[in-house]
Amino acid sequence: MTTITEAAPETHAFEADVAKLLHMMVHSVYSDKNVFLRELISNAADACEKLRYEAIADPALLGDDPQPRISLILDPDNRKLTIEDNGIGMTTADMSEALGTIARSGTKAFMDRIAANKEGEGTQLIGQFGVGFYSAFMVAEKVDVVSRRAGSDEAAMWSSDGLGTYTIAPVEVAEAPPRGTRVVLHLMEDAKDFAERFKVERIVKAQSGHVPVPISILEKPDAEPAEIADGAALWTKSKSEVSEDEYTDFYRSVAGQFDKPAITLHYRAEGRQEYSVLAFVPGSKPFDLFDPDRKGRMKLYVRRVFITDEADILPRYLRFVRGLVDSADLPLNMSREMIQESPILSAIQKGVTNRVLSELEKLSGNDVEAYTAIWENFGPVIKEGLYEDYERRESLLGLARFRSTAGDGWRSLKDYVAGMKENQTAIYYAVGTDLDRLKASPQIEGYRARGIEVLLLADQVDSFWVTAGVDHDGKPFKSVTQGAADLSLIPLAEGDATPSVEASEQVTSFIAFAKEILGEAVSDVRASDRLTESAVCLVAPDRGMDRQLEKILAAAGQAPMAAKPVLEVNPRHGLIVKLAALGEDEKTFREDAAHLLLDEAQIADGEHPLDPRAFSARLGRLIERALT
Ligand code: ADP
Ligand code: MG
């Protein structure tokens, strides 16, 4: 006698992040549940494309079923919706890896963002974000995934109610699709209309009509399949055949976003290399834009076969662009690694990059408002190119827009250069982390008084490119908080007749006195022409690194030893003039004042007084003096 022991399904717990995401899916009163269908169809299409690719090396994988296909099987009587594909399929190991963890870095970023937000905002955020397989639990109380990997003679089933655990168990091959994956959704009561043809067909046509795999619908499990999308690749059509809505739907399916593209770029390159490009600049900012692991999302196809999305078709600083390139020249039977090295690919990379930049340039001239919106979303990323892509630096500088002391709008370098003063030899900037603080910094007073525009650079990336030796139109970029300002050649705007640094004898000797008292705390004390309203400010020595920059780098953990700052004194300031006039018998007071001036400059830069105890003692003496 033999006892047959059925292998019991193994139960596993979801990774903590998945459990959190699932909880959110299920409990959000989410307005647009339809997205789950787009996610599952896009997974099915991905699986078909992966198979097509693997079959290039191993045609036997296709067997007698070479045409990719996605079927939607409705079963209203049993409240079930099934999405089935004949793609690559999953092994048991694939299933626990892909359906038990969060593989996509973007999803993690999204979760962090939700966690950082107030109650309630999360549900709106989901709608702008591709959420993947787990979105099935927005409409299903239980999901079964039955799959058989191409070329394998085993099949398995993954199953979960989305409440913390899932099971995986082997199943008879007869119970699984001959190849590929069947996702069965046991619909919630209030989602039962997702088993109705009218509803499903409408959603699919609206949001997945352009996936490159044909989609059929079966009204009942035993009904005849009816094709509702033909799987024709949108990018192979000519521009005049494609409507704006079709582009938008396609964009949404490749970008996983719900907005509209800000730029749609669809063209065919002919000549030495032949390829089609369909690319989009998103209308809004994805959440993982600054994720260091974030790669570009341009897909590479060869004659309509998806090859890879890791071909780095565009440089990192254009990683927000979504879409694809379909090459007619690359050989299909080349490994992904060899493709990376192919001169054909580098010609494509160059061509597409230049085209994207020229398209941005064109828009910046034709539609300032649209371009500004793009810059607001992606400017900080594009600026990475200023130090990463030396060859295209000039055109990137041309695309760059800046905040500046000349009004509240965006300024281009062209605007800046046009407004330069006579004798002005550099493009001035102030770098920091906060725009308002930059606007108020004492170091720019003298520039403002002379009508010299100062660029206010408050993005983190700014600290990197400004130190990369960038110049424009033969003019260097120069920090307003570094080195001597030398503004004396440019007159004050209001016809003020005293622009000089010339200090009275008394002031000069007070400055010398302050220098002696402050000793090692500063590298110099000197008269300044960069100040008009404030009495003092700190700047970096001529050869030192910009002070704000030093701080930003220090915060990023890569600080060089900070150079001692220079204390600049406004020789025309009433306070300074009066201090300078005090007699020798006021020695203690003059000493205190010298220290307090340094502390004041320090505070204006957002720092602490050097010695807080001494600072309060001096302040105390000062108040006492004022009271007596
Ligand atoms: P993404 O599609 O961005 O990778 P998903 O959450 O949508 O994220 O899917 C997770 C993973 O599950 C996929 O990467 C894939 O490995 C696997 N998967 C999901 N659906 C299928 C399917 N129909 N066929 C094969 N693999 C699938
Ligand atoms: Mg997916």
Side-chain angles (χ1 to χ4, degrees), residues 39 42-43 46 104 132:
E39 295 296 333
S42 101
N43 285 349
D46 289 350
R104 296 188 303 179

Side-chain angles (χ1 to χ4, degrees), residues 309-424:
D309 50 13
E310 291 183 355
D312 298 331
I313 291 168
L314 290 170
R316 268 183 52 82
Y317 62 87
L318 293 177
R319 61 182 175 272
F320 53 89
V321 178
R322 308 301 184 89
L324 58 92
V325 171
D326 190 351
S327 160
D329 307 310
L330 281 165
L332 266 174
N333 56 0
M334 217 181 195
S335 75
R336 288 183 178 134
E337 292 69 33
M338 284 171 73
I339 283 183
Q340 299 280 21
E341 268 144 42
S342 154
I344 299 177
L345 181 66
S346 41
I348 292 176
Q349 288 166 327
K350 201 167 158 196
V352 182
T353 305
N354 290 342
R355 182 65 185 258
V356 169
L357 294 184
S358 70
E359 212 63 29
L360 287 169
E361 155 90 59
K362 220 162 65 191
L363 187 72
S364 74
N366 296 344
D367 188 342
V368 174
E369 202 179 318
Y371 181 73
T372 305
I374 292 178
W375 185 260
E376 281 174 358
N377 284 330
F378 305 115
V381 174
I382 297 174
K383 282 191 281 188
E384 291 173 13
L386 292 173
Y387 58 89
E388 285 181 356
D389 192 348
Y390 186 78
E391 261 174 62
R392 298 192 182 86
R393 189 180 273 176
E394 267 307 307
S395 50
L396 291 172
L397 278 174
L399 291 174
R401 295 292 178 272
F402 302 94
R403 299 293 188 192
S404 90
T405 49
D408 288 330
W410 288 97
R411 302 275 290 170
S412 68
L413 284 180
K414 214 165 132 196
D415 300 332
Y416 186 99
V417 170
M420 274 174 82
K421 296 285 162 212
E422 215 183 317
N423 294 333
Q424 184 181 341

Side-chain angles (χ1 to χ4, degrees), residues 71-269:
S71 311
L72 307 174
I73 304 145
L74 312 182
D75 187 353
D77 298 340
N78 296 301
R79 249 206 274 149
K80 280 200 298 195
L81 167 63
T82 299
I83 295 98
E84 184 167 326
D85 65 72
N86 62 349
I88 190 74
M90 284 181 275
T91 64
T92 316
D94 294 339
M95 279 180 169
S96 63
E97 165 75 28
L99 308 181
T101 59
I102 292 185
R104 296 188 303 179
S105 59
T107 310
K108 270 213 157 71
F110 165 69
M111 298 272 303
D112 294 345
R113 167 98 183 210
I114 297 265
N117 263 286
K118 283 162 251 92
E119 279 299 311
E121 205 187 340
T123 51
Q124 292 162 23
L125 288 172
I126 299 179
Q128 307 166 23
F129 201 86
V131 278
F133 171 77
Y134 302 114
S135 61
F137 289 100
M138 295 194 304
V139 296
E141 53 198 21
K142 179 164 176 278
V143 178
D144 299 324
V145 180
V146 187
S147 192
R148 180 169 168 190
R149 163 93 198 184
S152 162
D153 47 19
E154 286 170 12
M157 174 153 111
W158 178 102
S159 187
S160 177
D161 56 8
L163 295 178
T165 60
Y166 61 91
T167 60
I168 297 186
V171 294
E172 294 295 329
V173 289
E175 289 172 41
R179 181 188 70 219
T181 303
R182 177 185 298 149
V183 178
V184 184
L185 308 182
H186 301 267
L187 297 167
M188 294 169 181
E189 171 60 31
D190 65 357
K192 62 172 188 276
D193 46 348
F194 286 107
E196 274 158 27
R197 172 160 184 179
F198 171 75
K199 173 144 182 161
V200 173
E201 183 168 344
R202 190 173 48 86
I203 299 171
V204 172
K205 283 188 166 154
Q207 65 184 20
S208 307
H210 303 290
V211 302
V213 177
I215 303 173
S216 306
I217 197 163
L218 284 74
E219 228 162 319
K220 291 211 160 56
D222 52 0
E224 275 299 302
E227 190 173 275
I228 54 172
D230 65 3
L234 191 70
W235 63 92
T236 59
K237 299 185 178 172
S238 81
K239 234 168 142 166
S240 56
E241 290 175 80
V242 186
S243 72
E244 198 185 319
D245 282 349
E246 287 177 307
Y247 280 131
T248 301
D249 294 342
F250 187 80
Y251 158 74
R252 291 179 178 176
S253 67
V254 292
Q257 294 202 181
F258 281 71
D259 51 356
K260 289 196 166 177
I263 294 183
T264 299
L265 182 57
H266 184 191
Y267 70 98
R268 201 181 159 71

Side-chain angles (χ1 to χ4, degrees), residues 280-302:
F280 305 92
V281 173
S284 61
K285 193 166 25 187
F287 298 115
D288 54 346
L289 189 61
F290 294 105
D291 187 327
D293 294 332
R294 193 172 191 285
K295 297 231 172 74
R297 298 266 178 81
M298 285 288 283
K299 300 183 181 190
L300 177 66
Y301 284 71
V302 173

